[in-house]
mmCIF file of all heavy atoms in Angstrom:
data_model
loop_
_atom_site.group_PDB
_atom_site.id
_atom_site.type_symbol
_atom_site.label_atom_id
_atom_site.label_comp_id
_atom_site.label_asym_id
_atom_site.label_seq_id
_atom_site.Cartn_x
_atom_site.Cartn_y
_atom_site.Cartn_z
ATOM 1 N N THR A 23 131.472 65.239 63.302
ATOM 2 C CA THR A 23 131.874 63.828 63.412
ATOM 3 C C THR A 23 132.093 63.433 64.856
ATOM 4 O O THR A 23 131.622 62.378 65.295
ATOM 5 C CB THR A 23 133.163 63.589 62.600
ATOM 6 O OG1 THR A 23 132.963 64.031 61.268
ATOM 7 C CG2 THR A 23 133.550 62.129 62.613
ATOM 8 N N ILE A 24 132.786 64.261 65.609
ATOM 9 C CA ILE A 24 133.058 63.976 67.014
ATOM 10 C C ILE A 24 131.763 64.024 67.804
ATOM 11 O O ILE A 24 131.514 63.178 68.675
ATOM 12 C CB ILE A 24 134.100 64.963 67.585
ATOM 13 C CG1 ILE A 24 135.443 64.792 66.889
ATOM 14 C CG2 ILE A 24 134.233 64.796 69.091
ATOM 15 C CD1 ILE A 24 136.049 63.415 67.017
ATOM 16 N N LYS A 25 130.919 65.009 67.521
ATOM 17 C CA LYS A 25 129.643 65.115 68.230
ATOM 18 C C LYS A 25 128.790 63.863 68.000
ATOM 19 O O LYS A 25 128.193 63.336 68.931
ATOM 20 C CB LYS A 25 128.880 66.361 67.797
ATOM 21 C CG LYS A 25 127.664 66.628 68.633
ATOM 22 C CD LYS A 25 127.058 67.981 68.345
ATOM 23 C CE LYS A 25 125.897 68.256 69.266
ATOM 24 N NZ LYS A 25 125.357 69.594 69.103
ATOM 25 N N THR A 26 128.748 63.381 66.777
ATOM 26 C CA THR A 26 127.995 62.168 66.462
ATOM 27 C C THR A 26 128.547 60.982 67.234
ATOM 28 O O THR A 26 127.796 60.188 67.795
ATOM 29 C CB THR A 26 128.040 61.892 64.955
ATOM 30 O OG1 THR A 26 127.450 62.990 64.263
ATOM 31 C CG2 THR A 26 127.306 60.612 64.605
ATOM 32 N N ASP A 27 129.854 60.858 67.277
ATOM 33 C CA ASP A 27 130.487 59.756 68.006
ATOM 34 C C ASP A 27 130.157 59.837 69.493
ATOM 35 O O ASP A 27 129.820 58.839 70.114
ATOM 36 C CB ASP A 27 131.995 59.770 67.798
ATOM 37 C CG ASP A 27 132.674 58.541 68.347
ATOM 38 O OD1 ASP A 27 132.119 57.431 68.186
ATOM 39 O OD2 ASP A 27 133.770 58.681 68.954
ATOM 40 N N ILE A 28 130.220 61.032 70.063
ATOM 41 C CA ILE A 28 129.895 61.222 71.481
ATOM 42 C C ILE A 28 128.446 60.855 71.738
ATOM 43 O O ILE A 28 128.135 60.145 72.703
ATOM 44 C CB ILE A 28 130.188 62.666 71.920
ATOM 45 C CG1 ILE A 28 131.687 62.925 71.908
ATOM 46 C CG2 ILE A 28 129.599 62.953 73.297
ATOM 47 C CD1 ILE A 28 132.086 64.390 72.067
ATOM 48 N N LEU A 29 127.540 61.316 70.887
ATOM 49 C CA LEU A 29 126.118 61.024 71.073
ATOM 50 C C LEU A 29 125.830 59.526 70.989
ATOM 51 O O LEU A 29 125.035 59.000 71.764
ATOM 52 C CB LEU A 29 125.281 61.787 70.045
ATOM 53 C CG LEU A 29 125.189 63.290 70.265
ATOM 54 C CD1 LEU A 29 124.570 63.976 69.056
ATOM 55 C CD2 LEU A 29 124.424 63.611 71.528
ATOM 56 N N GLU A 30 126.490 58.832 70.059
ATOM 57 C CA GLU A 30 126.296 57.383 69.942
ATOM 58 C C GLU A 30 126.776 56.655 71.194
ATOM 59 O O GLU A 30 126.097 55.767 71.709
ATOM 60 C CB GLU A 30 127.017 56.861 68.705
ATOM 61 C CG GLU A 30 126.340 57.229 67.411
ATOM 62 C CD GLU A 30 127.112 56.786 66.182
ATOM 63 O OE1 GLU A 30 128.160 56.115 66.335
ATOM 64 O OE2 GLU A 30 126.679 57.111 65.076
ATOM 65 N N ARG A 31 127.929 57.049 71.695
ATOM 66 C CA ARG A 31 128.479 56.407 72.889
ATOM 67 C C ARG A 31 127.632 56.732 74.111
ATOM 68 O O ARG A 31 127.428 55.873 74.977
ATOM 69 C CB ARG A 31 129.923 56.815 73.114
ATOM 70 C CG ARG A 31 130.844 56.253 72.056
ATOM 71 C CD ARG A 31 132.238 56.809 72.180
ATOM 72 N NE ARG A 31 133.045 56.417 71.063
ATOM 73 C CZ ARG A 31 134.052 55.543 71.159
ATOM 74 N NH1 ARG A 31 134.334 54.984 72.313
ATOM 75 N NH2 ARG A 31 134.757 55.253 70.099
ATOM 76 N N LEU A 32 127.138 57.973 74.204
ATOM 77 C CA LEU A 32 126.265 58.324 75.325
ATOM 78 C C LEU A 32 124.977 57.504 75.278
ATOM 79 O O LEU A 32 124.515 57.003 76.314
ATOM 80 C CB LEU A 32 125.920 59.816 75.283
ATOM 81 C CG LEU A 32 126.978 60.779 75.790
ATOM 82 C CD1 LEU A 32 126.546 62.229 75.555
ATOM 83 C CD2 LEU A 32 127.286 60.550 77.260
ATOM 84 N N ALA A 33 124.400 57.365 74.083
ATOM 85 C CA ALA A 33 123.162 56.596 73.954
ATOM 86 C C ALA A 33 123.374 55.150 74.385
ATOM 87 O O ALA A 33 122.542 54.586 75.102
ATOM 88 C CB ALA A 33 122.661 56.656 72.516
ATOM 89 N N GLU A 34 124.478 54.554 73.967
ATOM 90 C CA GLU A 34 124.775 53.179 74.362
ATOM 91 C C GLU A 34 124.908 53.061 75.879
ATOM 92 O O GLU A 34 124.378 52.123 76.485
ATOM 93 C CB GLU A 34 126.077 52.717 73.708
ATOM 94 C CG GLU A 34 125.963 52.520 72.214
ATOM 95 C CD GLU A 34 127.324 52.296 71.563
ATOM 96 O OE1 GLU A 34 128.356 52.268 72.278
ATOM 97 O OE2 GLU A 34 127.354 52.164 70.331
ATOM 98 N N THR A 35 125.596 54.006 76.491
ATOM 99 C CA THR A 35 125.827 53.954 77.936
ATOM 100 C C THR A 35 124.536 54.216 78.700
ATOM 101 O O THR A 35 124.236 53.517 79.685
ATOM 102 C CB THR A 35 126.896 54.988 78.334
ATOM 103 O OG1 THR A 35 128.087 54.721 77.598
ATOM 104 C CG2 THR A 35 127.184 54.917 79.819
ATOM 105 N N ILE A 36 123.764 55.192 78.275
ATOM 106 C CA ILE A 36 122.493 55.508 78.943
ATOM 107 C C ILE A 36 121.542 54.319 78.863
ATOM 108 O O ILE A 36 120.874 53.970 79.830
ATOM 109 C CB ILE A 36 121.849 56.775 78.340
ATOM 110 C CG1 ILE A 36 122.680 58.006 78.708
ATOM 111 C CG2 ILE A 36 120.411 56.942 78.809
ATOM 112 C CD1 ILE A 36 122.291 59.268 77.944
ATOM 113 N N TYR A 37 121.525 53.662 77.701
ATOM 114 C CA TYR A 37 120.626 52.508 77.509
ATOM 115 C C TYR A 37 120.941 51.369 78.460
ATOM 116 O O TYR A 37 120.062 50.579 78.809
ATOM 117 C CB TYR A 37 120.669 52.044 76.062
ATOM 118 C CG TYR A 37 119.620 51.009 75.755
ATOM 119 C CD1 TYR A 37 118.291 51.388 75.605
ATOM 120 C CD2 TYR A 37 119.944 49.671 75.630
ATOM 121 C CE1 TYR A 37 117.305 50.440 75.327
ATOM 122 C CE2 TYR A 37 118.987 48.724 75.350
ATOM 123 C CZ TYR A 37 117.664 49.109 75.194
ATOM 124 O OH TYR A 37 116.696 48.181 74.940
ATOM 125 N N GLN A 38 122.181 51.287 78.913
ATOM 126 C CA GLN A 38 122.544 50.253 79.890
ATOM 127 C C GLN A 38 121.808 50.467 81.207
ATOM 128 O O GLN A 38 121.601 49.527 81.964
ATOM 129 C CB GLN A 38 124.045 50.261 80.140
ATOM 130 C CG GLN A 38 124.849 49.792 78.968
ATOM 131 C CD GLN A 38 126.358 49.898 79.208
ATOM 132 O OE1 GLN A 38 126.808 50.363 80.251
ATOM 133 N NE2 GLN A 38 127.129 49.455 78.231
ATOM 134 N N TYR A 39 121.410 51.717 81.476
ATOM 135 C CA TYR A 39 120.719 52.042 82.728
ATOM 136 C C TYR A 39 119.207 52.110 82.541
ATOM 137 O O TYR A 39 118.463 51.670 83.401
ATOM 138 C CB TYR A 39 121.222 53.370 83.292
ATOM 139 C CG TYR A 39 122.677 53.302 83.690
ATOM 140 C CD1 TYR A 39 123.681 53.730 82.832
ATOM 141 C CD2 TYR A 39 123.046 52.787 84.924
ATOM 142 C CE1 TYR A 39 125.011 53.650 83.196
ATOM 143 C CE2 TYR A 39 124.368 52.699 85.292
ATOM 144 C CZ TYR A 39 125.362 53.145 84.413
ATOM 145 O OH TYR A 39 126.668 53.052 84.775
ATOM 146 N N THR A 40 118.780 52.702 81.440
ATOM 147 C CA THR A 40 117.346 52.832 81.176
ATOM 148 C C THR A 40 117.098 53.026 79.688
ATOM 149 O O THR A 40 117.862 53.723 79.012
ATOM 150 C CB THR A 40 116.718 53.997 81.975
ATOM 151 O OG1 THR A 40 115.324 54.070 81.681
ATOM 152 C CG2 THR A 40 117.377 55.328 81.663
ATOM 153 N N ALA A 41 116.028 52.441 79.213
ATOM 154 C CA ALA A 41 115.691 52.573 77.791
ATOM 155 C C ALA A 41 114.999 53.907 77.505
ATOM 156 O O ALA A 41 115.033 54.395 76.379
ATOM 157 C CB ALA A 41 114.802 51.424 77.352
ATOM 158 N N TYR A 42 114.373 54.478 78.525
ATOM 159 C CA TYR A 42 113.628 55.723 78.346
ATOM 160 C C TYR A 42 114.044 56.742 79.402
ATOM 161 O O TYR A 42 113.324 56.933 80.386
ATOM 162 C CB TYR A 42 112.120 55.450 78.415
ATOM 163 C CG TYR A 42 111.665 54.450 77.375
ATOM 164 C CD1 TYR A 42 111.407 53.131 77.732
ATOM 165 C CD2 TYR A 42 111.530 54.821 76.048
ATOM 166 C CE1 TYR A 42 111.004 52.209 76.786
ATOM 167 C CE2 TYR A 42 111.140 53.900 75.089
ATOM 168 C CZ TYR A 42 110.873 52.603 75.460
ATOM 169 O OH TYR A 42 110.485 51.691 74.523
ATOM 170 N N PRO A 43 115.181 57.412 79.215
ATOM 171 C CA PRO A 43 115.616 58.385 80.210
ATOM 172 C C PRO A 43 114.719 59.619 80.210
ATOM 173 O O PRO A 43 114.178 60.011 79.168
ATOM 174 C CB PRO A 43 117.033 58.738 79.766
ATOM 175 C CG PRO A 43 117.050 58.453 78.302
ATOM 176 C CD PRO A 43 116.103 57.307 78.105
ATOM 177 N N SER A 44 114.568 60.209 81.369
ATOM 178 C CA SER A 44 113.771 61.422 81.484
ATOM 179 C C SER A 44 114.582 62.618 80.985
ATOM 180 O O SER A 44 115.804 62.544 80.837
ATOM 181 C CB SER A 44 113.372 61.653 82.944
ATOM 182 O OG SER A 44 114.518 61.986 83.709
ATOM 183 N N GLY A 45 113.900 63.712 80.778
ATOM 184 C CA GLY A 45 114.585 64.942 80.366
ATOM 185 C C GLY A 45 115.591 65.400 81.404
ATOM 186 O O GLY A 45 116.678 65.867 81.067
ATOM 187 N N ALA A 46 115.249 65.232 82.676
ATOM 188 C CA ALA A 46 116.155 65.621 83.756
ATOM 189 C C ALA A 46 117.422 64.756 83.745
ATOM 190 O O ALA A 46 118.522 65.252 83.970
ATOM 191 C CB ALA A 46 115.445 65.511 85.101
ATOM 192 N N GLN A 47 117.241 63.470 83.469
ATOM 193 C CA GLN A 47 118.400 62.577 83.399
ATOM 194 C C GLN A 47 119.315 62.946 82.226
ATOM 195 O O GLN A 47 120.525 62.986 82.369
ATOM 196 C CB GLN A 47 117.953 61.119 83.282
ATOM 197 C CG GLN A 47 117.331 60.572 84.530
ATOM 198 C CD GLN A 47 116.682 59.207 84.314
ATOM 199 O OE1 GLN A 47 116.056 58.977 83.279
ATOM 200 N NE2 GLN A 47 116.843 58.324 85.297
ATOM 201 N N LEU A 48 118.700 63.221 81.086
ATOM 202 C CA LEU A 48 119.485 63.610 79.916
ATOM 203 C C LEU A 48 120.205 64.950 80.149
ATOM 204 O O LEU A 48 121.353 65.122 79.744
ATOM 205 C CB LEU A 48 118.605 63.690 78.687
ATOM 206 C CG LEU A 48 118.055 62.354 78.175
ATOM 207 C CD1 LEU A 48 117.072 62.597 77.033
ATOM 208 C CD2 LEU A 48 119.175 61.439 77.750
ATOM 209 N N CYS A 49 119.527 65.865 80.817
ATOM 210 C CA CYS A 49 120.132 67.160 81.121
ATOM 211 C C CYS A 49 121.321 66.969 82.083
ATOM 212 O O CYS A 49 122.357 67.604 81.913
ATOM 213 C CB CYS A 49 119.104 68.114 81.704
ATOM 214 S SG CYS A 49 119.679 69.826 81.763
ATOM 215 N N ALA A 50 121.172 66.082 83.054
ATOM 216 C CA ALA A 50 122.263 65.807 83.978
ATOM 217 C C ALA A 50 123.478 65.221 83.250
ATOM 218 O O ALA A 50 124.632 65.576 83.551
ATOM 219 C CB ALA A 50 121.800 64.845 85.087
ATOM 220 N N VAL A 51 123.227 64.352 82.276
ATOM 221 C CA VAL A 51 124.308 63.774 81.487
ATOM 222 C C VAL A 51 124.998 64.874 80.670
ATOM 223 O O VAL A 51 126.227 64.945 80.622
ATOM 224 C CB VAL A 51 123.787 62.658 80.554
ATOM 225 C CG1 VAL A 51 124.841 62.239 79.532
ATOM 226 C CG2 VAL A 51 123.330 61.468 81.363
ATOM 227 N N ALA A 52 124.214 65.746 80.049
ATOM 228 C CA ALA A 52 124.780 66.837 79.253
ATOM 229 C C ALA A 52 125.605 67.786 80.122
ATOM 230 O O ALA A 52 126.691 68.197 79.738
ATOM 231 C CB ALA A 52 123.656 67.607 78.553
ATOM 232 N N GLU A 53 125.101 68.100 81.300
ATOM 233 C CA GLU A 53 125.840 68.978 82.211
ATOM 234 C C GLU A 53 127.151 68.334 82.637
ATOM 235 O O GLU A 53 128.188 68.998 82.709
ATOM 236 C CB GLU A 53 124.979 69.339 83.403
ATOM 237 C CG GLU A 53 123.868 70.305 83.057
ATOM 238 C CD GLU A 53 122.895 70.544 84.212
ATOM 239 O OE1 GLU A 53 122.976 69.835 85.241
ATOM 240 O OE2 GLU A 53 122.068 71.459 84.083
ATOM 241 N N ALA A 54 127.127 67.046 82.941
ATOM 242 C CA ALA A 54 128.348 66.337 83.329
ATOM 243 C C ALA A 54 129.351 66.298 82.179
ATOM 244 O O ALA A 54 130.562 66.452 82.391
ATOM 245 C CB ALA A 54 128.003 64.925 83.794
ATOM 246 N N LEU A 55 128.844 66.112 80.965
ATOM 247 C CA LEU A 55 129.702 66.101 79.780
ATOM 248 C C LEU A 55 130.398 67.451 79.607
ATOM 249 O O LEU A 55 131.616 67.510 79.388
ATOM 250 C CB LEU A 55 128.882 65.758 78.539
ATOM 251 C CG LEU A 55 129.627 65.736 77.217
ATOM 252 C CD1 LEU A 55 130.603 64.577 77.177
ATOM 253 C CD2 LEU A 55 128.640 65.643 76.063
ATOM 254 N N ILE A 56 129.651 68.541 79.720
ATOM 255 C CA ILE A 56 130.209 69.873 79.561
ATOM 256 C C ILE A 56 131.166 70.203 80.709
ATOM 257 O O ILE A 56 132.181 70.868 80.510
ATOM 258 C CB ILE A 56 129.094 70.934 79.476
ATOM 259 C CG1 ILE A 56 128.223 70.675 78.250
ATOM 260 C CG2 ILE A 56 129.663 72.336 79.435
ATOM 261 C CD1 ILE A 56 128.943 70.682 76.931
ATOM 262 N N GLU A 57 130.847 69.728 81.905
ATOM 263 C CA GLU A 57 131.742 69.967 83.047
ATOM 264 C C GLU A 57 133.086 69.273 82.811
ATOM 265 O O GLU A 57 134.137 69.836 83.100
ATOM 266 C CB GLU A 57 131.094 69.450 84.324
ATOM 267 C CG GLU A 57 131.898 69.744 85.579
ATOM 268 C CD GLU A 57 131.196 69.285 86.828
ATOM 269 O OE1 GLU A 57 129.992 69.522 86.963
ATOM 270 O OE2 GLU A 57 131.873 68.663 87.671
ATOM 271 N N ARG A 58 133.022 68.061 82.294
ATOM 272 C CA ARG A 58 134.261 67.291 82.039
ATOM 273 C C ARG A 58 135.009 67.819 80.819
ATOM 274 O O ARG A 58 136.239 67.833 80.799
ATOM 275 C CB ARG A 58 133.897 65.837 81.832
ATOM 276 C CG ARG A 58 135.033 64.980 81.359
ATOM 277 C CD ARG A 58 135.317 63.855 82.295
ATOM 278 N NE ARG A 58 136.225 62.912 81.661
ATOM 279 C CZ ARG A 58 137.470 62.751 82.072
ATOM 280 N NH1 ARG A 58 137.927 63.416 83.090
ATOM 281 N NH2 ARG A 58 138.243 61.891 81.464
ATOM 282 N N HIS A 59 134.263 68.240 79.797
ATOM 283 C CA HIS A 59 134.870 68.746 78.546
ATOM 284 C C HIS A 59 134.233 70.094 78.184
ATOM 285 O O HIS A 59 133.339 70.163 77.338
ATOM 286 C CB HIS A 59 134.630 67.752 77.400
ATOM 287 C CG HIS A 59 135.191 66.401 77.655
ATOM 288 N ND1 HIS A 59 136.544 66.131 77.612
ATOM 289 C CD2 HIS A 59 134.596 65.225 77.955
ATOM 290 C CE1 HIS A 59 136.751 64.858 77.870
ATOM 291 N NE2 HIS A 59 135.581 64.281 78.081
ATOM 292 N N PRO A 60 134.705 71.178 78.808
ATOM 293 C CA PRO A 60 134.113 72.488 78.548
ATOM 294 C C PRO A 60 134.250 72.956 77.093
ATOM 295 O O PRO A 60 133.503 73.816 76.640
ATOM 296 C CB PRO A 60 134.838 73.429 79.507
ATOM 297 C CG PRO A 60 135.992 72.691 80.045
ATOM 298 C CD PRO A 60 135.760 71.243 79.812
ATOM 299 N N CYS A 61 135.134 72.331 76.338
ATOM 300 C CA CYS A 61 135.293 72.688 74.927
ATOM 301 C C CYS A 61 134.085 72.259 74.097
ATOM 302 O O CYS A 61 133.956 72.648 72.945
ATOM 303 C CB CYS A 61 136.569 72.082 74.359
ATOM 304 S SG CYS A 61 136.601 70.276 74.388
ATOM 305 N N LEU A 62 133.170 71.476 74.701
ATOM 306 C CA LEU A 62 131.980 71.018 73.990
ATOM 307 C C LEU A 62 130.762 71.915 74.203
ATOM 308 O O LEU A 62 129.680 71.601 73.727
ATOM 309 C CB LEU A 62 131.626 69.586 74.435
ATOM 310 C CG LEU A 62 132.637 68.510 74.051
ATOM 311 C CD1 LEU A 62 132.228 67.186 74.676
ATOM 312 C CD2 LEU A 62 132.758 68.395 72.544
ATOM 313 N N LYS A 63 130.940 73.030 74.895
ATOM 314 C CA LYS A 63 129.820 73.946 75.104
ATOM 315 C C LYS A 63 129.286 74.410 73.761
ATOM 316 O O LYS A 63 130.028 74.564 72.794
ATOM 317 C CB LYS A 63 130.275 75.189 75.873
ATOM 318 C CG LYS A 63 130.584 74.944 77.305
ATOM 319 C CD LYS A 63 131.002 76.243 77.971
ATOM 320 C CE LYS A 63 131.438 75.997 79.394
ATOM 321 N NZ LYS A 63 131.973 77.210 80.006
ATOM 322 N N GLU A 64 127.988 74.610 73.713
ATOM 323 C CA GLU A 64 127.360 75.146 72.519
ATOM 324 C C GLU A 64 127.403 76.671 72.626
ATOM 325 O O GLU A 64 126.973 77.223 73.642
ATOM 326 C CB GLU A 64 125.908 74.663 72.419
ATOM 327 C CG GLU A 64 125.770 73.164 72.299
ATOM 328 C CD GLU A 64 125.996 72.671 70.892
ATOM 329 O OE1 GLU A 64 125.952 73.465 69.946
ATOM 330 O OE2 GLU A 64 126.215 71.467 70.748
ATOM 331 N N PRO A 65 127.892 77.361 71.622
ATOM 332 C CA PRO A 65 127.977 78.810 71.707
ATOM 333 C C PRO A 65 126.597 79.467 71.701
ATOM 334 O O PRO A 65 125.667 78.982 71.050
ATOM 335 C CB PRO A 65 128.768 79.206 70.456
ATOM 336 C CG PRO A 65 128.588 78.066 69.523
ATOM 337 C CD PRO A 65 128.392 76.839 70.371
ATOM 338 N N ASP A 66 126.467 80.538 72.451
ATOM 339 C CA ASP A 66 125.269 81.386 72.461
ATOM 340 C C ASP A 66 123.997 80.673 72.937
ATOM 341 O O ASP A 66 122.908 81.023 72.502
ATOM 342 C CB ASP A 66 125.014 81.991 71.072
ATOM 343 C CG ASP A 66 126.197 82.795 70.582
ATOM 344 O OD1 ASP A 66 126.880 83.412 71.411
ATOM 345 O OD2 ASP A 66 126.438 82.800 69.363
ATOM 346 N N LEU A 67 124.129 79.701 73.802
ATOM 347 C CA LEU A 67 122.937 79.049 74.338
ATOM 348 C C LEU A 67 122.779 79.418 75.806
ATOM 349 O O LEU A 67 123.750 79.513 76.545
ATOM 350 C CB LEU A 67 123.025 77.527 74.206
ATOM 351 C CG LEU A 67 122.927 76.983 72.789
ATOM 352 C CD1 LEU A 67 123.049 75.468 72.797
ATOM 353 C CD2 LEU A 67 121.622 77.381 72.134
ATOM 354 N N VAL A 68 121.548 79.614 76.222
ATOM 355 C CA VAL A 68 121.258 79.968 77.603
ATOM 356 C C VAL A 68 121.507 78.778 78.513
ATOM 357 O O VAL A 68 122.142 78.875 79.545
ATOM 358 C CB VAL A 68 119.800 80.466 77.745
ATOM 359 C CG1 VAL A 68 119.466 80.745 79.189
ATOM 360 C CG2 VAL A 68 119.591 81.700 76.883
ATOM 361 N N SER A 69 121.000 77.623 78.134
ATOM 362 C CA SER A 69 121.109 76.410 78.946
ATOM 363 C C SER A 69 122.252 75.540 78.421
ATOM 364 O O SER A 69 122.391 75.356 77.217
ATOM 365 C CB SER A 69 119.803 75.619 78.870
ATOM 366 O OG SER A 69 119.965 74.367 79.474
ATOM 367 N N VAL A 70 123.026 75.019 79.351
ATOM 368 C CA VAL A 70 124.137 74.144 78.983
ATOM 369 C C VAL A 70 123.644 72.907 78.250
ATOM 370 O O VAL A 70 124.229 72.457 77.279
ATOM 371 C CB VAL A 70 124.919 73.733 80.248
ATOM 372 C CG1 VAL A 70 125.928 72.661 79.942
ATOM 373 C CG2 VAL A 70 125.585 74.928 80.878
ATOM 374 N N CYS A 71 122.524 72.370 78.703
ATOM 375 C CA CYS A 71 122.089 71.091 78.146
ATOM 376 C C CYS A 71 121.187 71.230 76.919
ATOM 377 O O CYS A 71 120.914 70.248 76.263
ATOM 378 C CB CYS A 71 121.398 70.245 79.227
ATOM 379 S SG CYS A 71 119.972 70.988 79.981
#
Side-chain angles (χ1 to χ4, degrees):
T23 306
I24 296 300
K25 188 170 184 175
T26 299
D27 189 41
I28 291 169
L29 288 169
E30 286 176 4
R31 291 173 188 250
L32 282 174
E34 290 170 1
T35 303
I36 290 169
Y37 189 75
Q38 291 176 358
Y39 296 96
T40 180
Y42 302 102
S44 69
Q47 289 170 321
L48 292 174
C49 193
V51 169
E53 288 173 351
L55 179 68
I56 298 301
E57 185 177 315
R58 171 121 168 111
H59 301 287
C61 62
L62 294 174
K63 288 181 185 174
E64 298 280 343
D66 303 326
L67 290 179
V68 176
S69 171
V70 171
C71 59

